Amino acid sequence: MPRFAFAVASVVGLAARSALATFPFPTPPAGTPPQNYAAYLRLPVTSPPVRPVDFTGSTEWKLTSDQTGEPAIDSSPAELFGVKGMSVDLAWQVTTGRPDVLIAVLDSGIRWDDTGAMQDLRRKVHLNRGELPLPRDAAGHTKPESSAGGAFLNPDPYDLNDDGVFDVTDYANDARVTDANGNGLLDPQDLIRAFSNGTDDDGNGYVDDIAGWNFLDDDNDPFDEVSYGHGTGEAEDSTAEADNGGALGTCPNCRIMPVALGAVNNTSFARAAIEYAWNNDVPIIASAADEESFHHNPPAANRHTITVNSVTRFASQGGFTMSPHSYLYLNGCTNYGGNIAVAIESSS
Ligand SMILES: [Ca+2]
Ligand SMILES: [Ca+2]
Ligand SMILES: [Ca+2]
Ligand SMILES: [Ca+2]
């Protein structure tokens, strides 16, 4: 199965990076191994991260945790001592992610036609260089053709603008590419339109898989044709670009691969895909969905996924004031069962 859909991008010029994109790509010292995530700190640690009740004997996993501030919750084992796991300002003191971490968003596809979303996402979409030609500058030169003077910091020939990452903006002055979809921006769908040649140039079984794949229609454009928007929202939540005035993702330095995929049944194809990922050390985060129930549908029910649900600290419900503000009240996004691995706080 879709080996590309679950592939992790290769490390792109990390060791040579010294130029910055306008959003915060990490700036580790040259030669820093990509496994050393602590070297990718973005925010200065101005105070020790909050470490609440130590009920495991170790404080490591709670580095980004906080407590609710309500004694009835914070002292209750049933409430996990009020530990709040989601706090990006604390998490970003550890890392804001790395551009070689690729998140496949298996959802409704992506709304290339949403200009606002594209401002946050167009540079975060992983591009398959095996299906793309080298970018050319305004003079028609590729990076190797114009680098005789050795002026570039990043040797990656696809990183024409030399900011350390290969993305759509490297084609900004390429005469072969236009705003074909008319959204006012150069975006990955414009590359799909410009460079689809009907040939599986990288021989991976997917013709012109330039920026994701559409498994619903079995074609190379994961465009969300019905404008459902959920996949676009998930992509923004995970990786929306920082410091550009728009939305902000939890992992603003990571990359995404949009994949249109929709199913509520448990097909052998889906099971094989999950096993393929498992056997290749690629984690799959599986939503338990929204039905306030014990789910058996995939991928949440598959033991080789990380099954996630959400919980809400209710202040009121059905006209009643709830006290304390427990996480144990049910809401429409809450699911339960022994296969839940991680619970996150949600607002709905
Ligand atoms: Ca670049
Ligand atoms: Ca466009
Ligand atoms: Ca291909
Ligand atoms: Ca091709």
Side-chain angles (χ1 to χ4, degrees):
M1 154 89 247
R3 52 188 181 276
F4 89 89
F6 295 99
V8 175
S10 58
V11 177
V12 181
L14 279 176
R17 176 172 302 113
S18 56
L20 275 178
T22 51
F23 55 97
F25 278 121
T27 54
T32 302
Q35 293 81 10
N36 181 11
Y37 70 86
Y40 292 81
L41 280 169
R42 172 67 182 177
L43 304 176
V45 180
T46 53
S47 61
V50 176
R51 290 185 171 86
V53 184
D54 180 4
F55 56 87
T56 66
S58 165
T59 57
E60 275 189 15
W61 73 276
K62 286 173 290 191
L63 188 64
T64 62
S65 295
D66 200 350
Q67 282 181 289
T68 69
E70 292 185 69
I73 302 296
D74 294 351
S75 63
S76 168
E79 300 275 2
L80 296 180
F81 298 97
V83 168
K84 296 168 66 176
M86 268 293 211
S87 177
V88 289
D89 54 341
L90 290 171
W92 288 335
Q93 293 181 23
V94 178
T95 181
T96 48
R98 305 189 331 231
D100 64 314
V101 172
L102 177 58
I103 302 169
V105 181
L106 310 178
D107 207 289
S108 64
I110 189 163
R111 290 198 59 191
W112 305 121
D113 57 333
D114 184 334
T115 302
M118 280 306 102
Q119 284 169 339
D120 279 322
L121 293 173
R122 67 191 184 113
R123 298 199 287 182
K124 316 317 296 292
V125 175
H126 171 71
L127 302 178
N128 179 10
R129 60 185 67 204
E131 292 278 2
L132 287 165
L134 288 174
R136 295 185 181 278
D137 61 21
H141 296 138
T142 65
K143 191 172 183 178
E145 290 167 351
S146 60
S147 63
F152 291 109
L153 297 168
N154 183 358
D156 179 2
Y158 277 87
D159 181 19
L160 180 62
N161 64 7
D162 209 33
D163 65 353
V165 175
F166 171 48
D167 63 26
V168 67
T169 60
D170 290 303
Y171 291 93
N173 299 309
D174 194 314
R176 297 167 294 181
V177 184
T178 61
D179 179 18
N181 60 11
N183 64 357
L185 294 168
L186 189 66
D187 65 89
Q189 191 182 39
D190 298 324
L191 299 182
I192 293 173
R193 300 272 179 92
F195 294 121
S196 291
N197 61 1
T199 299
D200 181 13
D201 290 284
D202 61 354
N204 67 353
Y206 298 89
V207 176
D208 298 329
D209 54 318
I210 290 168
W213 192 259
N214 186 336
F215 283 97
L216 195 63
D217 297 333
D218 196 24
D219 64 38
N220 70 329
D221 190 347
F223 178 51
D224 182 352
E225 286 136 331
V226 298
S227 299
Y228 179 46
H230 196 278
T232 304
E234 295 299 312
E236 290 179 297
D237 286 350
S238 60
T239 54
E241 182 173 324
D243 292 344
N244 66 348
L248 172 59
T250 310
C251 185
N253 284 328
C254 296
R255 314 296 297 279
I256 55 160
M257 175 181 288
V259 181
L261 177 73
V264 294
N265 54 352
N266 191 355
T267 65
S268 57
F269 182 78
R271 293 197 301 272
I274 290 169
E275 290 311 300
Y276 183 88
W278 171 266
N279 289 326
N280 286 277
D281 298 328
V282 175
I284 294 181
I285 312 295
S287 165
D290 299 339
E291 290 79 25
E292 200 175 90
S293 65
F294 188 111
H295 270 280
H296 297 281
N297 58 303
N302 189 295
R303 67 191 177 91
H304 286 168
T305 64
I306 301 170
T307 305
V308 180
N309 76 339
S310 73
V311 290
T312 299
R313 291 182 67 218
F314 273 111
S316 62
Q317 187 179 53
F320 295 97
T321 299
M322 315 295 277
S323 182
H325 295 167
S326 172
Y327 290 114
L328 300 180
Y329 302 125
L330 289 175
N331 74 87
C333 283
T334 299
N335 294 281
Y336 54 93
N339 60 347
I340 298 292
V342 180
I344 63 164
E345 192 176 354
S346 73
S347 59
S348 61

